[in-house]
Amino acid sequence: MSSGWILALDQGTTSSRAMLFSEDGLVVAEGHAPLALQFPHPGWVEVDGEVLFASQWQAVVQCLKHAASLPNFDPQRIRAIGIANQRETTLLFEKATGRLVHPAIIWQCRRSVEVARAWREQGLEPLIRERTGLNLDPYFSSTKLGYLFQTYPGLFDRAQAGELLFGTVESFLIHRLTGLKSHITDVTNASRTAFFDINRMTWDEDLLHRMGIPLAILPTVVDTAGVKAITDPVWFGHGIPIASMVGDQQAALFGQGCHQPGQAKCTMGTGAFILENAGEASSPTPSGLIRTVAWRLPANKPVYALEGAVFTAGTLVNWLQDGLQLIAEPSETEAMARKVPDSGGVVMVPAFSGLGTPYWDPGARGLIVGMTSKTNREHLVRAALESIAFQIVDVLKAMDVPPSQLEVDGGVAQNNFVTQFLADVAEMTVVRHRMAEATARGAAWLAGLATEFWPSIASLPLDARGETRTFVPAATQAENAAGYARWRRAVERARGWEEVH
């Protein structure tokens, strides 16, 4: 008889998932629900809190419905829940009711550009980078909270009165799932706020004071793995330990088996995020990259990661379908890109939400250059797919010592053209496992370690990742250099567009 199961919740930018993992590391049941975002102004992205929670709960219900057909399934034998979540998304909610006082501001949202600019003029940027490992950018939670308090003064008054709580997505979900009893976050999510000191592993009260953010609204920071909350019986009929909470990209790093320094992964979903295990030393960060907390296990030192953020990856493919109507569905893009020998000189810079690593330019805007009367839709599709790989290579080139191999996962990574082109341009081996859901797997593994479902990292079922497909460089160095040089010239044209024009 099975010793039970681990339930992993993976709350992402455009969808929510729930997956039930067996002791051998296989997904035995799963559920999925879309998440409808709102775009009230250009560059603004938000979501209603009730819609977000309903999306995640719908995925859970669907997963458990599928699990009911398993032999000997009993929800009482779900040993623990692990939560992975989209990071930086900022939620401000009532302590007494759990209801948001403003729509959740999604990580992609750029409405806090002016807050970031004002803080930069006040000299906060060096302090933020030194203490938090992050840059001063609208991407992170701090400017989003600053925007809310500066725009709606009544919220600050309520926060000071103890009526409001701040959380990233996992904190909000746990508050709801525990019947409004637990207000916690883990070190990985705390490290994405830009007011958490990753050296001292605590909220930075000096930065909070300078930013005008009350300390009282912040959750208690706990280890990434460890039982710190129990679900209210109203949800599952009995209490289940919540044994891990982890930012989605750190979860994917752990789920890809990158447990040793120097190992790296790239998750290609809505955006693309490259993380390299940097070990236990919080050392200086190469220019253009950020340093974040990868995880902290009980009674262990924190493990850090170097990270590069690409804001637009899967979003670009969706734009080809919904915006330009060049494709009927994303699966068409691989064959279309291969119909032409190259992009015909077309270069696309998809700076829909500015540019991330290594530029950190919120004023950049998307552009397409190099079109002629011979340009067709296959050239445009190929240029779009190439741009995803070029952005990832920008990150890899910013690393002092790039990894020798890159593990990839996520929906875009299933496109063979993208993964092969990435291997060519990066001049690096790219490995894709058959089981693509590294994020949920990482959350499950961490929860399993916390509850001794798996007794140690060495006992984790790495084989459950499935067979691998390896992509090795095929193009010549001259081809790579020419294509990348065109890309960099196009990026320079896209940068600072919002300020200049």
Side-chain angles (χ1 to χ4, degrees):
M1 180 181 290
S2 167
S3 63
W5 298 273
I6 300 291
L7 177 62
L9 312 186
D10 177 8
Q11 203 299 299
T13 309
T14 58
S15 67
S16 301
R17 295 176 180 270
M19 297 186 181
L20 199 65
F21 285 80
S22 63
E23 194 173 18
D24 56 8
L26 298 177
V27 176
V28 296
E30 62 182 291
H32 172 270
L35 179 61
L37 301 179
Q38 299 167 333
F39 305 88
H41 300 287
W44 290 30
V45 193
E46 63 187 34
V47 68
D48 181 87
E50 301 308 310
V51 171
L52 188 154
F53 185 81
S55 169
Q56 184 61 75
W57 185 246
Q58 181 182 343
V60 170
V61 170
Q62 188 181 112
C63 177
L64 296 182
K65 182 178 180 180
H66 292 164
S69 63
L70 296 172
N72 302 315
F73 177 73
D74 181 351
Q76 293 276 351
R77 290 170 53 225
I78 297 176
R79 293 276 298 275
I81 293 173
I83 300 176
N85 58 279
Q86 55 168 304
R87 307 171 303 169
E88 299 92 23
T89 292
T90 298
L91 302 95
L92 196 61
F93 48 94
E94 293 177 334
K95 183 177 182 179
T97 68
R99 291 189 174 276
L100 268 65
V101 296
H102 185 279
I105 303 178
I106 300 296
W107 59 271
Q108 296 166 304
C109 186
R110 314 306 283 177
R111 75 183 69 188
S112 55
V113 166
E114 291 303 320
V115 175
R117 182 178 288 115
W119 288 355
R120 185 172 293 110
E121 292 172 354
Q122 295 168 21
L124 280 186
E125 188 164 33
L127 291 177
I128 290 172
R129 186 160 179 84
E130 175 188 350
R131 298 176 188 177
T132 74
L134 307 178
N135 293 327
L136 178 48
D137 191 271
Y139 172 37
F140 303 108
S141 307
S142 60
T143 63
K144 302 179 192 302
L145 263 183
Y147 167 86
L148 289 175
F149 287 137
Q150 291 177 27
T151 306
Y152 308 100
L155 295 182
F156 185 83
D157 294 338
R158 295 188 66 187
Q160 283 195 315
E163 298 178 12
L164 304 182
L165 300 175
F166 157 76
T168 40
V169 168
E170 86 301 336
S171 186
F172 172 69
L173 293 177
I174 291 171
H175 192 247
R176 282 290 181 90
L177 290 173
T178 58
L180 313 186
K181 293 182 178 67
S182 295
H183 184 219
I184 57 178
T185 188
D186 90 298
V187 292
T188 68
N189 282 293
S191 73
R192 310 302 298 184
T193 60
F195 45 71
F196 181 77
D197 189 323
I198 64 171
N199 305 298
R200 298 185 297 118
M201 301 299 286
T202 186
W203 299 123
D204 191 303
E205 294 190 37
D206 176 50
L207 283 177
L208 288 167
H209 176 72
R210 293 168 183 257
M211 293 172 175
I213 298 172
L215 176 64
I217 67 171
L218 303 186
T220 300
V221 182
V222 300
D223 290 337
T224 308
V227 177
K228 301 297 182 181
I230 306 291
T231 63
D232 190 289
V234 70
W235 297 109
F236 296 94
H238 64 288
I240 301 177
I242 299 174
S244 76
M245 61 198 86
V246 57
D248 54 6
Q249 303 309 320
Q250 290 96 324
L253 185 71
F254 197 85
Q256 283 283 23
C258 299
H259 304 149
Q260 299 299 319
Q263 294 180 315
K265 70 89 193 176
C266 174
T267 299
M268 300 183 227
T270 302
F273 299 88
I274 303 89
L275 272 72
E276 181 180 38
N277 186 322
E280 296 178 351
S282 180
S283 54
T285 306
S287 177
L289 297 176
I290 58 179
R291 183 172 295 273
T292 196
V293 180
W295 55 78
R296 187 175 68 186
L297 304 182
N300 282 268
K301 294 180 179 180
V303 173
Y304 295 92
L306 290 178
E307 177 174 341
V310 172
F311 297 150
T312 304
T315 308
L316 177 58
V317 179
N318 293 337
W319 179 68
L320 294 178
Q321 176 180 341
D322 302 329
L324 296 186
Q325 299 184 351
L326 292 179
I327 58 174
E329 57 183 40
S331 61
E332 296 178 7
T333 58
E334 181 178 335
M336 290 178 67
R338 295 189 188 281
K339 282 185 178 180
V340 288
D342 52 45
S343 67
V346 177
V347 181
M348 188 177 295
V349 181
F352 297 162
S353 300
L355 288 171
T357 307
Y359 311 103
W360 296 105
D361 184 353
R365 286 296 175 265
L367 59 75
I368 303 172
V369 295
M371 292 189 295
T372 70
S373 61
K374 301 292 185 181
T375 300
N376 57 37
R377 67 180 191 142
E378 283 80 16
H379 290 128
L380 292 174
V381 168
R382 179 165 178 139
L385 298 186
E386 288 181 354
S387 75
I388 297 173
F390 283 136
Q391 291 176 94
I392 295 168
V393 171
D394 279 342
V395 175
L396 295 170
K397 286 183 177 293
M399 294 179 172
D400 289 339
V401 182
S404 58
Q405 177 173 297
L406 189 65
E407 311 278 340
V408 297
D409 64 278
V412 179
Q414 305 313 303
N415 186 305
N416 293 325
F417 175 83
V418 173
T419 45
Q420 181 60 59
F421 190 77
L422 174 60
D424 292 343
V425 182
E427 298 178 0
M428 177 184 297
T429 298
V430 175
V431 177
R432 184 182 69 206
H433 295 279
R434 183 180 55 156
M435 182 181 172
E437 299 301 333
T439 300
R441 184 168 65 242
W445 282 359
L446 287 160
L449 288 172
T451 54
E452 298 187 347
F453 188 78
W454 294 293
S456 66
I457 289 180
S459 71
L460 292 172
L462 292 175
D463 290 344
R465 294 177 297 173
E467 298 175 358
T468 63
R469 177 166 178 180
T470 301
F471 298 83
V472 297
T476 67
Q477 288 188 349
E479 291 173 326
N480 295 341
Y484 187 67
R486 286 194 297 271
W487 161 258
R488 291 300 294 262
R489 289 197 299 271
V491 166
E492 288 309 308
R493 294 188 181 189
R495 295 192 62 188
W497 184 271
E498 188 174 76
E499 285 81 358
V500 173
H501 298 270

